[in-house]
Amino acid sequence: TRNSSEMSNSLNRVALDIRAAFDLAVLTQRYHRLVFDLKTGSYWLETTDAKMISLGDEHSPVDPTEDDEKELEEKFNTEFQKYKDVMGDDVSDPASDSKIPRTSPVILAAKKLQRPRWTEVESLEWSKRKLLSSLAFKDIQAEHHNQKISMEAPSDHPRAFIYFFPQGYVERAVIHIRFVNGDGSLDETQKPFTIYTWPYRGEAEIENGYIEIDVREAKDSEEEDS
């Protein structure tokens, strides 16, 4: 038999963490994101100092891994170096024998153009979470995804992000959670759960059953007016 109390605590923890991440983004005035590893059932909170962020490639079947993001940063730095090389060597100042670096508006904009660096939030309140062993993230979809990211995606560690904005907004997102058997396979005999977000309230609700939600459409007129 399933331990309903432990199961309820695990589901409620996800919903409460969404609210806590929303509050933290507003309190610190920094962008945050929840990162879900669908293969392991774990998730954690990350933040960045960036003033603007990109929500990633909506056509990708998964959000990037940590290695993917490092590779993208290295690619940016390599490409950007070409602009510096075109400018040539630094210029000598005959009055002081110092070097004056050549520059351009593009080079000055480097920090704004560079991809944000995300770091895990580690505190007494925040540490890496994990679903109850009998539960699994079946699939997740947020506003920046054009399709569900599934635990069966062609990736060693399929990841899905839900972004939180300092202005007081969390992406519309839907999380489907299913029971799993001892061998890790999905237990189709048990009713799944759906967790979805209310963007302007920063809240998440838990429903029984697999509920399809269009995350790119407002769920309620009250949501738009709030």
Side-chain angles (χ1 to χ4, degrees):
T1 60
R2 311 279 184 185
N3 188 320
S4 59
S5 177
E6 288 184 352
M7 179 200 68
S8 178
N9 287 341
S10 190
L11 294 171
N12 286 331
R13 166 60 79 179
V14 177
L16 290 172
D17 283 339
I18 288 172
R19 177 67 207 198
F22 177 90
D23 290 342
L24 192 59
V26 174
L27 180 65
T28 61
Q29 284 295 288
R30 296 172 69 182
Y31 289 97
H32 285 70
R33 70 184 185 187
L34 278 174
V35 182
F36 297 85
D37 186 328
L38 281 75
K39 217 71 163 181
T40 63
S42 59
Y43 65 98
W44 58 94
L45 185 66
E46 293 181 347
T47 189
T48 179
D49 289 326
K51 301 302 180 186
M52 296 179 62
I53 63 170
S54 168
L55 300 187
D57 181 3
E58 67 174 11
H59 300 295
S60 175
V62 295
D63 279 322
T65 65
E66 186 177 357
D67 288 340
D68 291 336
E69 291 188 315
K70 287 179 180 177
E71 185 177 332
L72 289 169
E73 182 178 357
E74 289 172 2
K75 182 179 179 181
F76 174 88
N77 291 335
T78 299
E79 291 296 320
F80 205 83
Q81 185 61 42
K82 295 177 183 178
Y83 289 100
K84 292 184 178 181
D85 293 341
V86 168
M87 298 302 298
D89 297 330
D90 296 342
V91 179
S92 297
D93 181 357
S96 62
D97 285 335
S98 62
K99 293 287 186 179
I100 303 174
R102 292 182 182 270
T103 187
S104 75
V106 175
I107 291 176
L108 293 174
K111 288 185 178 180
K112 292 183 179 180
L113 296 172
Q114 195 168 31
R115 294 179 63 86
R117 291 183 180 178
W118 294 88
T119 56
E120 185 175 344
V121 176
E122 296 186 58
S123 65
L124 293 176
E125 294 80 15
W126 280 101
S127 59
K128 188 168 287 188
R129 319 284 204 214
K130 192 174 178 67
L131 281 178
L132 192 66
S133 60
S134 59
L135 297 173
F137 294 116
K138 172 67 173 69
D139 55 62
I140 296 174
Q141 186 176 13
E143 283 181 70
H144 73 280
H145 304 134
N146 72 346
Q147 61 186 348
K148 298 185 184 77
I149 293 182
S150 169
M151 66 181 296
E152 296 156 346
S155 172
D156 290 338
H157 288 283
R159 303 205 310 175
F161 304 151
I162 298 178
Y163 287 95
F164 299 79
F165 298 77
Q167 299 85 353
Y169 185 87
V170 53
E171 283 190 286
R172 286 190 186 89
V174 58
I175 303 169
H176 293 117
I177 296 176
R178 297 202 71 114
F179 287 106
V180 292
N181 298 308
D183 61 0
S185 62
L186 294 177
D187 185 349
E188 303 290 350
T189 67
Q190 299 288 328
K191 203 171 186 179
F193 302 94
T194 299
I195 299 177
Y196 56 87
T197 63
W198 290 95
Y200 295 100
R201 301 179 196 171
E203 297 173 354
E205 293 194 30
I206 305 168
E207 300 280 358
N208 287 317
Y210 191 99
I211 302 172
E212 294 283 2
I213 294 174
D214 186 347
V215 297
R216 297 193 172 192
E217 295 291 336
K219 293 190 291 297
D220 194 290
S221 59
E222 178 187 347
E223 177 100 3
E224 293 298 296
D225 297 335
S226 59

